[in-house]
Amino acid sequence: MSAPILQTARLSIPRIGLGTWQLRGAEAQRAVEGAIALGYRHIDTAAMYGNEDAVGAGIAASGLPRGEIFLTTKVWWTELAPDALRASADASLKRLGTPYADLILIHWPAKGMDLAASLGALARLQADGLARAVGVSNFPPGLLRRALELGIAPIAALQVECHVYLWQEALAALCRQHGLALTAYSPIAKAQVNDDPVMQAIAAKHGATPVQVALAWLLAQDNLVAIPKSGRAEGQRDNLAAAALRLDARDMAAIAALPKDRRLVNPDFAPDWAA
């Protein structure tokens, strides 16, 4: 089993990937290796996760050619000056044991960042072959619009928190308009969907789980990719199988009626989300 592929003008990316936040060491390596054995071809990590060495070891141990895996990593918000961004990317690739990443993102914007300079450094990563594609994460609509209008980096993707309780239409519309892939992190709302009567009812109707329903709802949206985290083979298998689940109009309407403003990831350094 493998995930369907989202094809845009700037990248080809499996629509279900393995998120690895909070997976470390041997657990992270086993999770990556096991996910690839199950059919995953998209792995997401970041310098800040502290697991790039384990992720790289899992990819290497899978035995698959590097070109068959879509690998994303990210540069932390304290490293966005051009020289620091380049050094961070170089260090990430060394830890991952690969000469390139398929996608390198700015992980979070920094207050007062020199956006043009950071985008220029991103563009150089791609030009120099360290990244097949580049993008941003956790940018609010105004900042994403500015980044796109500058035209400095060929932004291919935006990664943000997105799930049945947080639908970010302004960002989704920008992604549709500009042909960006929208990658949803925390796509199962930190498993809160399991306790939701609406999600439970839809799941029972389809012989599925609330988590699978949550992922299927995301995959019903245009240009959307989801990266649920699971270190267990059973969870990984169920998440991947969600790609085959088709929700009907009644299901979609019931999920649409759920609150869509429940943000679960909002650290002190987060941007003004309404900006």
Side-chain angles (χ1 to χ4, degrees):
M1 182 186 300
S2 60
I5 303 296
L6 172 63
Q7 183 72 53
T8 74
R10 287 181 171 158
L11 82 172
S12 177
I13 180 171
R15 296 194 71 197
I16 295 183
L18 179 72
T20 64
W21 164 231
Q22 296 183 317
L23 295 174
R24 299 288 182 89
E27 180 190 20
Q29 180 175 340
R30 284 194 301 270
V32 169
E33 190 175 352
I36 292 171
L38 287 171
Y40 283 76
R41 295 296 180 265
H42 174 186
I43 310 295
D44 182 276
T45 184
M48 188 276 289
Y49 296 174
N51 65 11
E52 288 174 315
D53 53 350
V55 167
I59 292 172
S62 76
L64 281 185
R66 170 66 185 85
E68 293 188 20
I69 303 294
F70 189 100
L71 176 62
T72 299
T73 194
K74 312 176 197 78
V75 175
W76 194 235
W77 65 271
T78 58
E79 309 297 321
L80 300 186
D83 289 348
L85 191 151
R86 179 61 174 247
S88 177
D90 284 338
S92 285
L93 295 178
K94 184 175 181 180
R95 288 188 291 267
L96 287 161
T98 180
Y100 70 94
D102 296 276
L103 181 62
I104 294 181
L105 305 174
I106 290 175
H107 201 157
W108 289 84
K111 291 179 173 65
M113 67 185 287
D114 185 335
L115 181 60
S118 297
L119 293 175
L122 264 190
R124 285 188 290 277
L125 292 181
Q126 184 170 359
D128 293 344
L130 278 67
R132 294 282 177 88
V134 295
V136 297
S137 181
N138 295 302
F139 274 39
L143 188 59
L144 178 60
R145 190 176 294 106
R146 280 179 53 208
L148 292 166
E149 288 172 351
L150 283 170
I152 294 170
I155 297 172
L158 168 72
Q159 185 175 129
V160 290
E161 180 185 352
C162 192
H163 43 74
V164 296
Y165 307 122
L166 183 67
W167 176 244
Q168 308 208 52
E169 178 53 35
L171 288 171
L174 277 169
C175 289
R176 290 191 298 266
Q177 179 184 349
H178 294 275
L180 274 61
L182 175 59
T183 301
Y185 72 74
S186 296
I188 61 172
K190 298 187 176 181
Q192 291 183 16
V193 295
N194 284 325
D195 300 320
D196 189 312
V198 172
M199 301 297 286
Q200 290 171 347
I202 296 171
K205 179 174 119 178
H206 291 279
T209 68
V211 162
Q212 288 177 317
V213 171
L215 292 173
W217 179 80
L218 284 170
L219 296 178
Q221 316 301 324
D222 291 337
N223 280 25
L224 202 132
V225 174
I227 48 169
K229 182 197 77 175
S230 179
R232 300 178 303 106
E234 181 183 5
Q236 292 176 353
R237 189 179 295 110
D238 286 351
N239 291 345
L240 198 57
L245 177 58
R246 298 292 178 266
L247 303 179
D248 61 32
R250 186 174 301 223
D251 302 329
M252 296 295 286
I255 294 172
L258 294 172
K260 292 290 181 285
D261 57 357
R262 191 183 300 171
R263 190 178 297 279
L264 305 177
V265 180
N266 196 22
D268 292 343
F269 52 80
D272 175 359
W273 297 112

